[in-house]
Structures are given as structure tokens and as C-alpha cells.
Amino acid sequence: MPHRLLKFGVSKEHPEPRMFHTPAQLKDAYDVVIIGGGGHGLGAAYYLARDHGITNVAVIEKGYIGGGGTGRNTAIVRSNYLTNEGARFYQASIDLFQDLSRELDLNLFYSERGHFTLAHSPASLRTQRWRAEVNKHLGIDSEVIGPSEVKRLVPEIDLQCGGHLPSIHGALYHPPGAVARHDAVAWGYARGADRAGVEIHQQTEVTDIEMRDNAVVGVHTDKGFIKTRKVLSAVAGWTTAITPMVGLRTPLTVHPLQAAVSEPLKPWLDKIVVSASLHLYVSQSSRGELVAGASLDPYELISMRSTLDFTEGVSGHLVDLFPMLGDIKIMRQWAGLSDMTPDFSPIMGTTPIDGFYIDAGWGTWGFKATPISGKTMAATLAEDNDHELIKPFNLSRFSRWQLVGEKGAASVGH
Ligand code: PYC
């Protein structure tokens, strides 16, 4: 054990600086209040300070930072989307992710693996071709490969899926697909924002938003009232608790999404494998655990309880795809909340309420958008104008019927 680590372990003090400060109390007023201390809220705070010099900012988090969707996903990063709007947006996120460990001076364990979306039918292969064409057009590395190439790149896979399901016809292969340490992304943004002067208030709950003449004038919390003219709601699965405070209607529905990790295994899977037909995505973490998830629980519910039904399904499908996993143990499982939109794209930007901005609709694709959502929401708040990249995702698209249909690029059937 390194001497420094041993000294730290036996010391009664904590000689290392904390990741960020815990302010004793709220100030009377801030230029911006961000509701939600997940990756998106903290990212927005960080880029408000870095790109726009706005540091009189409070991030209000009712639990602990990164304790919501940021810490409950399977940490997959990819940009192989179906629409121009989606693919450009997520590619901009990858561009930021690739340099983020250096930028935040924190190892985010960003690891490019290559991402396979398996096709179990000719129809599914056609969708993957379409995605590949959109991707190539935008300079994103994606191509359709046949079953023998899948087998060459992932030799452990059973192309016949144990004979229980349609065999694998091919895959969309996306080499830049990656995984990252999700908690570290929240911590890195929190530390960067804190160093710039942003205040992070954990264990503080927003109870109401004060408005006058259709404009935000303040935020009520369980620790007191704050004056502010700009509020960003970045609370993903809790959005439907915040939007009624300003009388805003959204088409969001909230479903639980579950995931699990296995006991640690020797490294054998260096790719990310997704099968919509099997409702499965899996990668191997740097600790050797298989990290696997499924589709949404098929009912609307605001609950983060795990179910045995999920464990049985995910385990069975893992064995269908990789028969040698029959004896491994599932070590942990958990659930998060997915705020789903009808078109599977996010809701971002300005709203009809002056000073109220929204970052929601993150469904099952929020983690991969963390850096670009932080950056574009910061620009939108600073300029009170939707950033170019997020214009297509404005809430008003639902009343204009200009949806950005990304269902075909969701990892699993929902
Ligand atoms: O969209 O990449 C994805 C994803 C992974 C897990 C759930 N969704």
C-alpha cells in the first residue's frame, strides 16, 4: 500500500482538500439557481462559470450530488443516433467527453470500447443501415457489419442466442462507443464549479417557485427563500414535481429503469453489446463486473425499488447471448427514474415562462449527454436564447408537431 494512502487511512484528520465546500447557508439572492445536483445541473453550473463568467450561482440538490440518474445509469456514451439533430448533439458530447478527464483534472475512466447494436431481423438491420448512413453523413464512425464480423469481434457471443430467439443478422458497429465512471463526472463538475465560486447546497429541497407577471422572481426551499430571475430545472425523473410550480405542462411520463452488476470477472468483454430484441445492454467495468440493464419497467411509477422480475430477465438474456455466464452471480441491482418523451428526444431550453429553463426528457440517454447538455444549457441561460444545438429540442416542438423521432436509436425497445 502506498505510504501516503496508509497515512491518510490512519489519520484522524482529512488532509486532502474536500471535493467541494458545504456552504453554511443560502444567500438571499443568486443570478442563477439550478435545481438538481446531477451531472447536467453541475455541468451547467461549471460552464456558466467557465464560459460566461457567471458565478453567483446556487445548485440546489434535495439529496446528494450524483444520487439520481447520474449515479444510476450504465455509463454508456455513444453518438450513433438516427436523426441529424440527435447525432450532432450526442457527437458534440463525445467530443467534450474525450478531453474531460484533462479538463476537470480528474480521471473519469473514459474508455472507448466500440458499441454493437445487434440486429435480430432484416427489419432491424434496415434501421441500423439508416442510422449508419446518417452517422457517416455527419462524420460519425458507424457501419453495419455481418454476423461473422460480430463473431470475430466478440468471440464469446452465441449468434443463435441459445436457440431461444431469432439469431443475429448483423449489427451497427460504432467504434467510438465508450463507458465512463459516472460518479466521477458529477464530482469533477462539482469541484470545477465550486472552485469558480458556485455554491452547492445538498440536502436542500425546492418547495415552490415564486412568479410575478409570468416571470420567475425566486425559489422557496426548505432552508428559506432565494431571490433569483433565472431558474434551471435539471432534475430528470423529478421534473414532473417541479414543472407544476410554474404551471408548465410537459408530455413526460416517468418509468423506473433497472440495472445490475455481476461479481467481478477476469477481463473478457472489451466491447459494449446491446440487443433491443433481448432488451439487454452489457459492458465490463474496469473492476471486472458486468454492468447490465434492460428496458424500462412497463408501468409509470416514481419509485426506485428493484424487482426480482428484472433480475430474472436480465440474467436469462445474458446467458442467451453469452452461454458461458451460466454460473456467475449478480451482486447488486438498483433502479433509477426515466423521464420519457413521446419522441425519445430530450426537452431543453427556454420555456414560455420568463427566466424558467428546462433540461429534461432524459429517458434512458441522459448520462451520455452530460457535458453537452451542461454547456448548451449554460449558454442558453447566459444569453436567454436557445443554443443552436438544442433548438430542435425546445418544449414547443410538441405544439408545433415537429418531433425529433429517436425511438429507433434507443438502446432497447421501450
Ligand atoms: O441509450 O445507450 C443508451 C442506453 C444505454 C442504457 C440505456 N440506454
Side-chain angles (χ1 to χ4, degrees), residues 73-78 80-81 115 257 274 281 293-294 364-365 368 409-412 414:
N73 60 77
T74 44
I76 296 172
V77 178
R78 64 184 174 93
N80 55 356
Y81 277 72
H115 182 283
L257 179 71
V274 176
Y281 34 91
T364 68
W365 44 88
K368 58 184 73 34
S411 252
V412 281
H414 295 305

Side-chain angles (χ1 to χ4, degrees), residues 16-77:
E16 295 282 325
R18 306 290 300 177
M19 285 292 280
F20 52 89
H21 299 93
T22 302
Q25 56 193 43
L26 291 162
K27 291 199 288 200
D28 291 342
Y30 294 92
D31 294 336
V32 177
V33 170
I34 297 175
I35 311 174
H40 286 220
L42 293 164
Y46 174 82
Y47 291 111
L48 271 171
R50 195 202 74 167
D51 295 353
H52 307 281
I54 300 175
T55 56
N56 184 24
V57 176
V59 177
I60 309 290
E61 166 55 53
K62 78 170 173 175
Y64 58 94
I65 68 160
T70 302
R72 292 167 186 275
N73 60 77
T74 44
I76 296 172
V77 178

Side-chain angles (χ1 to χ4, degrees), residues 144-388:
V144 170
I145 57 174
S148 50
E149 189 63 358
V150 173
K151 184 76 183 165
R152 188 182 72 76
L153 292 164
V154 191
E156 296 80 4
I157 208 162
D158 177 4
L159 292 175
Q160 309 308 320
C161 305
H164 301 142
L165 288 140
S167 60
I168 293 165
H169 285 52
L172 178 68
Y173 178 41
H174 176 50
V179 288
R181 176 85 200 274
H182 46 191
D183 311 300
V185 173
W187 300 333
Y189 277 129
R191 186 176 67 174
D194 174 84
R195 282 181 180 166
V198 167
E199 290 184 2
I200 299 168
H201 292 266
Q202 301 184 92
Q203 305 292 326
T204 304
E205 185 167 357
V206 169
T207 52
D208 205 356
I209 297 175
E210 190 77 27
M211 309 228 300
R212 200 168 308 135
D213 301 330
N214 197 49
V216 168
V217 293
V219 172
H220 294 274
T221 77
D222 59 357
K223 307 242 169 88
F225 179 70
I226 313 164
K227 279 191 233 145
T228 185
R229 295 203 171 268
K230 289 192 177 184
V231 170
L232 166 63
S233 172
V235 297
W238 302 102
T239 302
T240 54
I242 298 295
T243 45
M245 296 178 186
V246 292
L248 197 64
R249 286 182 62 215
T250 69
L252 293 170
T253 56
V254 181
H255 293 249
L257 179 71
Q258 303 193 48
V261 292
S262 74
E263 62 185 315
L265 306 171
K266 284 191 177 161
W268 65 273
L269 179 65
D270 61 358
K271 304 285 188 293
I272 304 160
V273 180
V274 176
S275 163
S277 303
L278 290 174
H279 306 297
L280 178 72
Y281 34 91
V282 59
S283 66
Q284 189 169 20
S285 77
S286 48
R287 283 192 296 217
E289 298 160 340
L290 295 178
V291 184
S295 51
L296 297 172
D297 287 354
Y299 33 78
E300 280 186 52
L301 187 66
I302 298 194
S303 160
M304 290 191 278
R305 291 183 65 178
S306 301
T307 65
L308 181 59
D309 189 54
F310 160 79
T311 329
E312 284 177 347
V314 90
S315 312
H317 289 144
L318 267 174
V319 178
D320 284 335
L321 219 46
F322 299 110
M324 84 289 188
L325 295 179
D327 286 334
I328 65 149
K329 295 182 182 59
I330 296 285
M331 295 299 280
R332 284 183 290 121
Q333 68 181 100
W334 64 93
L337 297 177
S338 294
D339 45 332
M340 302 299 295
T341 56
D343 61 358
F344 287 59
S345 287
I347 300 175
M348 299 181 75
T350 53
T351 69
I353 292 116
D354 286 345
F356 186 77
Y357 305 82
I358 191 165
D359 174 84
W362 288 109
T364 68
W365 44 88
F367 175 66
K368 58 184 73 34
T370 305
I372 195 63
S373 125
K375 194 167 166 65
T376 53
M377 285 309 306
T380 301
L381 278 149
E383 283 150 33
D384 193 25
N385 195 15
D386 289 329
H387 184 282
E388 203 51 41

